[in-house]
């Protein structure tokens, strides 16, 4: 995809609003914590190169959150059942975490609205088994998750 000018602050504001509403949370801090947890859980299952490849298709602020504080592991963790992944998400900043059970789906739904679909699908297809399902979103109308441009 050719480089496009983006309004990172407007885009981030919209992502946070989407996340907060989708997870029925009352604060941006809770939405941020949930998304941070989801991104940390996902990156634990990637090599450094895979993580950088995935980060390259994220919007600017989520990209920074994805790589912030990343301690690359020698061996990435395997993808496991959704319930276990959600429990892992809820352990991030556990004392300040109000993350709901739909955090992974809500984060995927929201971020997909700000990503290039073809680039995302290409990257996910190159990642370990489980990555595609992690970011899968069931929608009745695909227009719900069409990219929004700012």
């Amino acid at each position: 995809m050719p480089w496009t000018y983006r309004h990172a602050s407007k885009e981030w504001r919209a992502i946070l609003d989407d996340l907060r509403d989708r997870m029925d949370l009352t604060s941006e801090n809770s939405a941020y914590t949930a998304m941070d947890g989801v991104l940390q859980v996902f990156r634990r299952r990637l090599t450094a190169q895979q993580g950088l490849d995935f980060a390259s298709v994220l919007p600017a602020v989520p990209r920074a959150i994805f790589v912030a504080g990343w301690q690359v592991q020698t061996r990435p963790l395997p993808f496991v059942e959704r319930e276990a992944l959600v429990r892992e998400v809820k352990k991030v900043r556990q004392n300040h975490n109000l993350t709901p059970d739909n955090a992974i789906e809500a984060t995927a739904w929201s971020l997909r609205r700000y990503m290039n679909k073809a680039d995302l699908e290409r990257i996910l297809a190159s990642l370990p088994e489980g990555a595609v399902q992690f970011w899968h979103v069931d929608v009745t109308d695909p227009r719900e998750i069409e990219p929004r441009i700012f």
Side-chain angles (χ1 to χ4, degrees), residues 24-82:
D24 198 27
L25 295 169
T26 57
S27 82
E28 294 169 354
N29 291 340
S30 296
Y32 171 89
T33 295
M35 183 188 67
D36 184 29
V38 169
L39 293 175
Q40 285 186 43
V41 166
F42 185 69
R43 78 181 185 203
R44 287 180 192 138
R45 285 148 177 87
L46 306 177
T47 65
Q49 186 60 58
Q50 290 167 337
L52 291 172
D53 292 345
F54 178 74
S56 74
V57 299
L58 285 168
V61 175
R63 179 182 317 133
I65 294 166
F66 182 80
V67 299
W70 189 3
Q71 299 295 312
V72 178
Q73 301 178 126
T74 306
R75 284 197 181 150
L77 298 173
F79 284 93
V80 293
E81 64 190 32
R82 179 60 58 127

Coordinates of all heavy atoms in Angstrom, one line a residue, residues 24-82:
D24 N -18.4 -1.8 26.2 CA -19.3 -1.2 27.2 C -18.6 -0.8 28.4 O -19.0 -1.1 29.5 CB -20.4 -2.2 27.5 CG -21.6 -1.6 28.1 OD1 -21.8 -0.4 27.9 OD2 -22.3 -2.3 28.9
L25 N -17.5 -0.1 28.2 CA -16.7 0.4 29.3 C -17.0 1.9 29.5 O -17.5 2.6 28.6 CB -15.2 0.2 29.0 CG -14.7 -1.2 29.0 CD1 -13.3 -1.3 28.4 CD2 -14.8 -1.9 30.3
T26 N -16.6 2.5 30.6 CA -17.0 3.9 30.9 C -15.7 4.8 30.8 O -15.9 6.0 30.7 CB -17.6 4.1 32.3 OG1 -16.6 3.5 33.3 CG2 -18.9 3.3 32.4
S27 N -14.5 4.2 30.7 CA -13.4 5.1 30.6 C -12.4 4.7 29.5 O -12.4 3.5 29.1 CB -12.6 5.1 32.0 OG -11.8 3.9 32.1
E28 N -11.7 5.7 29.0 CA -10.7 5.4 28.0 C -9.6 4.6 28.6 O -8.9 3.8 27.9 CB -10.2 6.8 27.5 CG -11.2 7.6 26.8 CD -10.8 9.0 26.5 OE1 -9.7 9.4 27.0 OE2 -11.5 9.7 25.8
N29 N -9.3 4.9 29.9 CA -8.2 4.1 30.5 C -8.5 2.6 30.5 O -7.6 1.8 30.2 CB -8.0 4.5 32.0 CG -7.4 5.9 32.1 OD1 -6.8 6.5 31.1 ND2 -7.6 6.6 33.2
S30 N -9.7 2.2 30.8 CA -10.1 0.8 30.7 C -10.0 0.3 29.3 O -9.5 -0.9 29.1 CB -11.5 0.6 31.3 OG -11.6 1.0 32.6
A31 N -10.4 1.1 28.3 CA -10.3 0.6 26.9 C -8.8 0.5 26.5 O -8.5 -0.5 25.9 CB -11.0 1.6 26.0
Y32 N -8.0 1.4 26.9 CA -6.6 1.3 26.6 C -6.0 0.1 27.3 O -5.2 -0.7 26.6 CB -5.8 2.6 27.2 CG -4.3 2.5 27.1 CD1 -3.7 2.9 25.9 CD2 -3.6 1.9 28.1 CE1 -2.3 2.7 25.8 CE2 -2.2 1.8 28.0 CZ -1.6 2.2 26.9 OH -0.2 2.0 26.8
T33 N -6.3 -0.2 28.5 CA -5.7 -1.4 29.2 C -6.1 -2.6 28.5 O -5.3 -3.6 28.3 CB -6.1 -1.4 30.7 OG1 -5.6 -0.2 31.3 CG2 -5.7 -2.6 31.4
A34 N -7.4 -2.7 28.1 CA -7.9 -3.9 27.4 C -7.1 -4.1 26.1 O -6.6 -5.2 25.8 CB -9.4 -3.8 27.1
M35 N -7.0 -3.0 25.3 CA -6.3 -3.2 24.0 C -4.8 -3.5 24.2 O -4.3 -4.4 23.5 CB -6.4 -1.9 23.2 CG -5.7 -2.1 21.8 SD -5.6 -0.6 20.9 CE -4.4 0.3 21.9
D36 N -4.2 -2.9 25.2 CA -2.8 -3.2 25.5 C -2.6 -4.7 25.9 O -1.7 -5.4 25.4 CB -2.3 -2.3 26.6 CG -0.8 -2.5 26.9 OD1 0.0 -2.8 26.0 OD2 -0.4 -2.3 28.1
G37 N -3.5 -5.2 26.7 CA -3.5 -6.6 27.0 C -3.7 -7.5 25.8 O -2.9 -8.5 25.7
V38 N -4.6 -7.2 25.0 CA -4.8 -8.0 23.8 C -3.5 -8.0 22.9 O -3.1 -9.0 22.4 CB -6.0 -7.5 23.0 CG1 -6.1 -8.1 21.6 CG2 -7.3 -7.7 23.7
L39 N -2.9 -6.8 22.7 CA -1.7 -6.7 21.9 C -0.6 -7.5 22.5 O 0.2 -8.2 21.8 CB -1.4 -5.3 21.6 CG -2.4 -4.5 20.7 CD1 -2.0 -3.0 20.7 CD2 -2.5 -5.1 19.4
Q40 N -0.4 -7.4 23.8 CA 0.6 -8.1 24.5 C 0.5 -9.7 24.4 O 1.4 -10.4 24.1 CB 0.7 -7.8 26.0 CG 1.3 -6.4 26.3 CD 1.5 -6.2 27.7 OE1 1.9 -7.1 28.5 NE2 1.2 -5.0 28.2
V41 N -0.8 -10.1 24.6 CA -1.0 -11.5 24.5 C -0.8 -12.0 23.1 O -0.2 -13.1 22.9 CB -2.5 -11.8 24.9 CG1 -2.9 -13.2 24.5 CG2 -2.6 -11.6 26.4
F42 N -1.1 -11.3 22.1 CA -0.8 -11.7 20.7 C 0.7 -11.7 20.4 O 1.2 -12.7 19.8 CB -1.6 -10.7 19.7 CG -1.4 -11.1 18.3 CD1 -2.1 -12.2 17.8 CD2 -0.7 -10.4 17.4 CE1 -2.0 -12.6 16.5 CE2 -0.5 -10.8 16.1 CZ -1.2 -11.9 15.6
R43 N 1.4 -10.7 20.8 CA 2.8 -10.6 20.5 C 3.6 -11.7 21.2 O 4.7 -12.1 20.7 CB 3.4 -9.2 20.7 CG 3.7 -8.9 22.1 CD 4.2 -7.5 22.3 NE 4.6 -7.3 23.7 CZ 4.7 -6.1 24.3 NH1 4.5 -5.0 23.6 NH2 5.0 -6.1 25.6
R44 N 3.2 -12.2 22.3 CA 3.9 -13.3 23.0 C 3.9 -14.6 22.1 O 4.6 -15.5 22.4 CB 3.2 -13.6 24.3 CG 3.4 -12.6 25.4 CD 2.7 -13.0 26.6 NE 2.7 -11.8 27.5 CZ 1.7 -11.4 28.3 NH1 0.6 -12.1 28.3 NH2 1.8 -10.4 29.0
R45 N 3.1 -14.6 21.1 CA 3.0 -15.8 20.2 C 3.7 -15.6 18.9 O 3.6 -16.4 18.0 CB 1.5 -16.1 20.0 CG 1.0 -16.7 21.3 CD -0.5 -16.4 21.6 NE -0.8 -17.2 22.8 CZ -0.6 -16.7 24.1 NH1 -0.1 -15.5 24.2 NH2 -0.9 -17.5 25.1
L46 N 4.5 -14.5 18.8 CA 5.2 -14.2 17.6 C 6.7 -14.1 17.8 O 7.2 -13.7 18.9 CB 4.7 -12.9 17.0 CG 3.2 -12.7 16.8 CD1 2.9 -11.3 16.3 CD2 2.7 -13.7 15.8
T47 N 7.5 -14.4 16.8 CA 8.9 -14.1 16.8 C 9.0 -12.5 16.6 O 8.1 -11.8 16.3 CB 9.7 -14.7 15.6 OG1 9.2 -14.2 14.4 CG2 9.5 -16.2 15.7
A48 N 10.2 -12.0 16.9 CA 10.4 -10.6 16.7 C 10.1 -10.1 15.3 O 9.4 -9.1 15.1 CB 11.9 -10.2 17.1
Q49 N 10.6 -10.9 14.3 CA 10.3 -10.5 12.9 C 8.8 -10.5 12.6 O 8.2 -9.7 12.0 CB 11.0 -11.4 11.9 CG 10.9 -10.9 10.5 CD 11.4 -9.5 10.3 OE1 12.6 -9.2 10.5 NE2 10.5 -8.6 9.8
Q50 N 8.1 -11.6 13.1 CA 6.7 -11.7 12.9 C 6.0 -10.5 13.5 O 5.0 -9.9 13.0 CB 6.1 -13.0 13.4 CG 6.6 -14.2 12.6 CD 6.3 -15.5 13.4 OE1 6.2 -15.6 14.6 NE2 6.2 -16.6 12.6
G51 N 6.4 -10.1 14.7 CA 5.8 -9.0 15.4 C 6.0 -7.7 14.7 O 5.1 -6.9 14.6
L52 N 7.2 -7.5 14.2 CA 7.5 -6.3 13.4 C 6.6 -6.3 12.1 O 6.1 -5.2 11.7 CB 8.9 -6.2 13.1 CG 9.8 -5.9 14.3 CD1 11.3 -6.0 13.9 CD2 9.5 -4.6 15.0
D53 N 6.5 -7.4 11.5 CA 5.7 -7.5 10.3 C 4.2 -7.1 10.6 O 3.6 -6.3 9.9 CB 5.7 -8.9 9.7 CG 7.1 -9.2 9.1 OD1 7.9 -8.3 8.9 OD2 7.3 -10.4 8.8
F54 N 3.7 -7.7 11.7 CA 2.3 -7.3 12.2 C 2.2 -5.9 12.5 O 1.3 -5.2 12.1 CB 1.9 -8.2 13.3 CG 0.5 -7.9 13.8 CD1 -0.6 -8.3 13.1 CD2 0.4 -7.2 15.0 CE1 -1.9 -8.0 13.5 CE2 -0.9 -6.9 15.5 CZ -2.0 -7.3 14.7
A55 N 3.2 -5.4 13.3 CA 3.1 -4.0 13.7 C 3.1 -3.0 12.5 O 2.5 -2.0 12.6 CB 4.3 -3.6 14.6
S56 N 3.7 -3.4 11.4 CA 3.8 -2.5 10.2 C 2.4 -2.3 9.6 O 2.2 -1.3 8.9 CB 4.7 -3.2 9.1 OG 4.0 -4.3 8.5
V57 N 1.4 -3.1 9.9 CA 0.0 -2.8 9.4 C -0.9 -2.2 10.4 O -2.0 -1.9 10.1 CB -0.6 -4.1 8.8 CG1 0.3 -4.7 7.7 CG2 -0.9 -5.2 9.9
L58 N -0.4 -2.0 11.6 CA -1.3 -1.3 12.7 C -1.3 0.2 12.5 O -0.3 0.7 12.0 CB -0.7 -1.7 14.1 CG -0.9 -3.1 14.6 CD1 -0.1 -3.3 15.9 CD2 -2.4 -3.3 14.9
P59 N -2.3 0.8 12.9 CA -2.3 2.3 13.0 C -1.2 2.8 13.9 O -0.7 2.0 14.7 CB -3.7 2.7 13.5 CG -4.5 1.4 13.3 CD -3.6 0.3 13.4
A60 N -0.8 4.0 13.8 CA 0.4 4.6 14.4 C 0.4 4.3 16.0 O 1.4 3.8 16.5 CB 0.5 6.1 14.1
V61 N -0.6 4.7 16.7 CA -0.6 4.6 18.1 C -0.7 3.2 18.6 O 0.1 2.7 19.4 CB -1.6 5.5 18.8 CG1 -1.7 5.3 20.3 CG2 -1.4 7.0 18.5
P62 N -1.6 2.4 18.1 CA -1.5 0.9 18.4 C -0.2 0.3 18.1 O 0.2 -0.6 18.8 CB -2.7 0.3 17.7 CG -3.7 1.5 17.5 CD -2.8 2.7 17.3
R63 N 0.4 0.7 17.0 CA 1.7 0.1 16.6 C 2.7 0.4 17.8 O 3.5 -0.4 18.2 CB 2.2 0.7 15.3 CG 3.6 0.2 14.9 CD 4.1 0.9 13.6 NE 3.0 1.0 12.6 CZ 2.8 2.1 11.9 NH1 3.5 3.2 12.1 NH2 1.8 2.1 11.1
A64 N 2.7 1.7 18.2 CA 3.7 2.0 19.3 C 3.3 1.2 20.6 O 4.3 0.8 21.3 CB 3.6 3.5 19.6
I65 N 2.1 1.1 20.9 CA 1.7 0.3 22.1 C 2.1 -1.2 21.9 O 2.6 -1.8 22.9 CB 0.1 0.4 22.3 CG1 -0.2 1.8 22.7 CG2 -0.3 -0.6 23.4 CD1 -1.7 2.2 22.6
F66 N 2.0 -1.7 20.7 CA 2.3 -3.1 20.4 C 3.8 -3.4 20.7 O 4.1 -4.4 21.3 CB 2.0 -3.4 19.0 CG 2.3 -4.9 18.6 CD1 1.4 -5.9 18.9 CD2 3.4 -5.2 17.9 CE1 1.6 -7.2 18.6 CE2 3.7 -6.5 17.6 CZ 2.8 -7.5 17.9
V67 N 4.7 -2.5 20.4 CA 6.1 -2.7 20.6 C 6.6 -2.2 21.9 O 7.7 -2.6 22.3 CB 6.9 -2.2 19.4 CG1 6.5 -2.9 18.1 CG2 6.8 -0.7 19.3
A68 N 5.9 -1.4 22.6 CA 6.4 -0.8 23.8 C 6.7 -1.8 24.9 O 5.8 -2.7 25.2 CB 5.4 0.3 24.4
G69 N 7.8 -1.8 25.4 CA 8.2 -2.7 26.5 C 8.3 -4.2 26.1 O 8.3 -5.1 27.0
W70 N 8.3 -4.5 24.9 CA 8.3 -5.9 24.4 C 9.7 -6.5 24.8 O 10.7 -6.1 24.3 CB 8.2 -5.9 22.9 CG 7.9 -7.3 22.3 CD1 7.8 -8.4 22.9 CD2 7.8 -7.5 20.9 NE1 7.6 -9.5 22.0 CE2 7.6 -8.9 20.8 CE3 7.8 -6.8 19.7 CZ2 7.4 -9.5 19.5 CZ3 7.6 -7.4 18.5 CH2 7.4 -8.8 18.4
Q71 N 9.6 -7.6 25.5 CA 10.7 -8.4 25.8 C 10.6 -9.7 24.9 O 9.8 -10.6 25.2 CB 10.7 -8.8 27.3 CG 10.8 -7.7 28.3 CD 12.1 -6.9 28.1 OE1 13.2 -7.5 28.1 NE2 12.0 -5.6 28.0
V72 N 11.4 -9.7 23.9 CA 11.2 -10.8 22.9 C 11.6 -12.1 23.6 O 12.7 -12.2 24.2 CB 12.1 -10.5 21.7 CG1 12.1 -11.7 20.7 CG2 11.7 -9.2 21.0
Q73 N 10.8 -13.1 23.4 CA 11.0 -14.4 24.0 C 11.8 -15.3 23.0 O 11.7 -15.1 21.8 CB 9.7 -15.1 24.4 CG 8.9 -14.2 25.3 CD 7.5 -14.9 25.6 OE1 7.2 -15.1 26.8 NE2 6.7 -15.2 24.6
T74 N 12.5 -16.2 23.6 CA 13.3 -17.1 22.7 C 12.3 -18.0 21.9 O 12.5 -18.2 20.7 CB 14.2 -18.1 23.6 OG1 15.0 -17.3 24.4 CG2 15.0 -18.9 22.7
R75 N 11.3 -18.5 22.6 CA 10.3 -19.3 21.9 C 8.9 -18.6 22.1 O 8.4 -18.5 23.2 CB 10.2 -20.7 22.4 CG 11.4 -21.5 22.0 CD 11.1 -23.0 22.2 NE 12.2 -23.7 21.8 CZ 12.6 -24.8 22.3 NH1 11.9 -25.4 23.2 NH2 13.7 -25.4 21.8
P76 N 8.2 -18.3 21.0 CA 6.9 -17.7 21.2 C 6.0 -18.8 21.8 O 6.1 -20.0 21.6 CB 6.5 -17.4 19.8 CG 7.8 -17.3 19.0 CD 8.7 -18.2 19.6
L77 N 5.0 -18.3 22.5 CA 4.0 -19.2 23.1 C 3.0 -19.7 22.0 O 2.8 -19.0 21.0 CB 3.2 -18.5 24.1 CG 3.9 -18.0 25.3 CD1 3.0 -17.1 26.2 CD2 4.5 -19.2 26.1
P78 N 2.4 -20.8 22.1 CA 1.4 -21.3 21.1 C 0.1 -20.6 21.3 O -0.2 -20.1 22.4 CB 1.3 -22.8 21.4 CG 1.6 -22.9 22.9 CD 2.7 -21.8 23.2
F79 N -0.7 -20.5 20.3 CA -2.0 -20.0 20.4 C -2.8 -21.1 21.1 O -2.6 -22.3 20.8 CB -2.7 -19.7 19.1 CG -2.2 -18.4 18.5 CD1 -1.1 -18.3 17.7 CD2 -2.8 -17.2 18.9 CE1 -0.6 -17.1 17.2 CE2 -2.3 -16.0 18.4 CZ -1.2 -16.0 17.5
V80 N -3.7 -20.7 22.1 CA -4.5 -21.7 22.8 C -6.0 -21.3 22.7 O -6.3 -20.3 22.0 CB -4.0 -21.7 24.3 CG1 -2.6 -22.3 24.4 CG2 -4.1 -20.3 24.9
E81 N -6.8 -22.0 23.4 CA -8.2 -21.7 23.3 C -8.5 -20.2 23.8 O -7.8 -19.6 24.5 CB -9.0 -22.6 24.2 CG -8.7 -22.5 25.7 CD -9.3 -23.6 26.6 OE1 -9.4 -24.7 26.1 OE2 -9.6 -23.3 27.7
R82 N -9.6 -19.7 23.2 CA -9.9 -18.3 23.4 C -10.1 -17.9 24.9 O -9.6 -16.8 25.3 CB -11.2 -18.0 22.6 CG -11.8 -16.5 22.7 CD -10.8 -15.5 22.2 NE -10.5 -15.7 20.9 CZ -10.5 -14.8 19.9 NH1 -11.0 -13.6 20.2 NH2 -10.2 -15.1 18.7

